[in-house]
Amino acid sequence: MKKLILFIVSDSVGETADLVAKAAASQFRQGLETVLIKRFSHVEDESQLDEIVYLAKQQNAIIIYTLVKSAMCQKLKQECRIKEIQCIDLLGPIIERIGMELGEKPLEEPGLVRQLDEDYFKKIEAIEFAVKYDDGRDPRGILRADIVLVGVSRTSKTPLSQYLAHKRFKVANVPLVPEVEPPEELFMIDPAKCYGLVISAEKLNFIRRERLIALGLKDDANYARVERIEAEITHFNNVVSKIGCNVIDVTNRAVEETANVILSELTNRHS
């Protein structure tokens, strides 16, 4: 049975070329059994290329590479031509075509796609965290969060949590209700990562009445009465005073504006 050796050469991890090689080999009945793949990752200088080409010649291997630096690509092509070794450039032609269409030169920085993947998964993790620890469902999330939001009902805690999660922050939010003792975890965290969201009684009265109407209920329920709202705000003030956290008035602020206040403060704190 004939054996074929493929050398995967990359200035990053080499996952892209490895997957492409396996996908191609899988198209043959005995491809995955007879094709041996050897990966050479993080190849960053020409001396490494010389060694790889030497080995490829000894083992009669085909080189498949994903090198983003043009100088390294040219070096490998030249050495393969001299040694009469077959080589396949997976990225070069695509990068060249995209550059021509965009009128730009490539960055030639290895590992950028991996950085993008890590950034993407960090955002997904933050979004899942915000969902899991929304509305005080599990107070354990308070201790794990980057940002903790507290406030009475209808102060945009959930949409603000999701907005900040898309910025890759793990956010937990906790509703404050006079009849329910706030979780003890709120008083165990660094007050600097906690933000209280306050709103005027008049504005909250309007929001809650509209909410009740949208649900097909009467708008004079206790939930929307000014006296009830004022009692909730008093309770809120007592709790945030005990926590010692910052308070943001969201009365006339959009979610994005409130988020920018928090993000600006975090940036200033770490600058």
Side-chain angles (χ1 to χ4, degrees), residues 42-54:
H42 303 292
V43 178
E44 297 177 354
D45 61 66
E46 294 185 359
S47 63
Q48 290 174 284
L49 292 179
D50 290 333
E51 294 175 9
I52 292 169
V53 171
Y54 174 79

Side-chain angles (χ1 to χ4, degrees), residues 118-138:
E118 290 174 355
D119 187 60
Y120 171 78
F121 286 116
K122 187 176 180 180
K123 177 165 63 171
I124 295 301
E125 184 182 5
I127 292 171
E128 291 177 344
F129 186 96
V131 172
K132 183 175 182 179
Y133 298 109
D134 180 48
D135 208 30
R137 290 175 185 167
D138 186 345

Side-chain angles (χ1 to χ4, degrees), residues 8-260:
I8 303 299
V9 180
S10 174
D11 43 24
S12 185
V13 179
E15 289 179 345
T16 300
D18 191 72
L19 288 172
V20 171
K22 287 178 179 176
S26 69
Q27 293 300 308
F28 301 89
R29 288 190 179 89
Q30 297 179 339
L32 293 177
E33 296 177 8
T34 60
V35 176
L36 176 62
I37 297 176
K38 297 183 180 181
R39 193 191 301 189
F40 298 84
S41 303
H42 303 292
V43 178
E44 297 177 354
D45 61 66
E46 294 185 359
S47 63
Q48 290 174 284
L49 292 179
D50 290 333
E51 294 175 9
I52 292 169
V53 171
Y54 174 79
L55 289 174
K57 182 66 175 179
Q58 295 296 312
Q59 299 179 32
N60 195 29
I62 296 174
I63 294 178
I64 300 174
Y65 62 96
T66 52
L67 300 170
V68 296
K69 293 183 178 180
S70 56
M72 292 285 283
C73 285
Q74 292 303 319
K75 167 68 176 179
L76 183 55
K77 288 178 183 177
Q78 181 181 355
E79 290 301 313
C80 286
R81 186 166 53 250
I82 294 172
K83 299 290 195 301
E84 297 182 336
I85 296 171
Q86 296 183 66
C87 64
I88 302 170
D89 182 1
L90 290 184
L91 287 183
I94 301 173
I95 290 176
E96 183 179 358
R97 171 52 61 182
I98 292 175
M100 289 174 60
E101 294 297 327
L102 297 180
E104 292 183 27
K105 291 184 178 181
L107 297 172
E108 296 193 358
E109 294 181 19
L112 289 181
V113 69
R114 191 170 183 83
Q115 292 177 28
L116 289 173
D117 286 344
E118 290 174 355
D119 187 60
Y120 171 78
F121 286 116
K122 187 176 180 180
K123 177 165 63 171
I124 295 301
E125 184 182 5
I127 292 171
E128 291 177 344
F129 186 96
V131 172
K132 183 175 182 179
Y133 298 109
D134 180 48
D135 208 30
R137 290 175 185 167
D138 186 345
R140 291 175 298 181
I142 295 171
L143 300 177
R144 296 177 51 210
D146 301 317
I147 299 171
V148 178
L149 306 175
V150 296
V152 301
S153 175
R154 313 310 296 178
T155 49
S156 300
K157 295 185 298 299
T158 295
L160 180 57
S161 295
Q162 284 295 321
Y163 186 94
L164 292 169
H166 278 79
K167 301 294 182 181
R168 296 148 194 84
F169 289 97
K170 293 180 179 178
V171 186
N173 74 76
V174 181
L176 298 180
V177 184
E179 294 78 13
V180 180
E181 282 295 316
E184 60 182 18
E185 286 85 354
L186 277 179
F187 308 104
M188 298 166 59
I189 61 172
D190 180 358
K193 76 173 186 178
C194 183
Y195 293 87
L197 307 180
V198 70
I199 190 171
S200 71
E202 294 77 17
K203 179 71 172 180
L204 190 53
N205 170 254
F206 173 77
I207 292 173
R208 288 188 175 182
R209 285 173 58 198
E210 290 296 308
R211 175 63 174 166
L212 289 170
I213 292 171
L215 293 173
L217 303 172
K218 294 183 179 180
D219 66 353
D220 61 349
N222 186 52
Y223 172 73
R225 289 177 182 169
V226 174
E227 298 82 4
R228 168 64 187 185
I229 290 172
E230 289 177 343
E232 289 187 29
I233 292 176
T234 298
H235 174 67
F236 164 85
N237 288 329
N238 290 335
V239 173
V240 296
S241 177
K242 187 176 179 181
I243 296 172
C245 64
N246 291 328
V247 176
I248 303 173
D249 190 338
V250 299
T251 302
N252 295 308
R253 278 195 172 104
V255 169
E256 294 84 352
E257 293 175 300
T258 305
N260 286 336

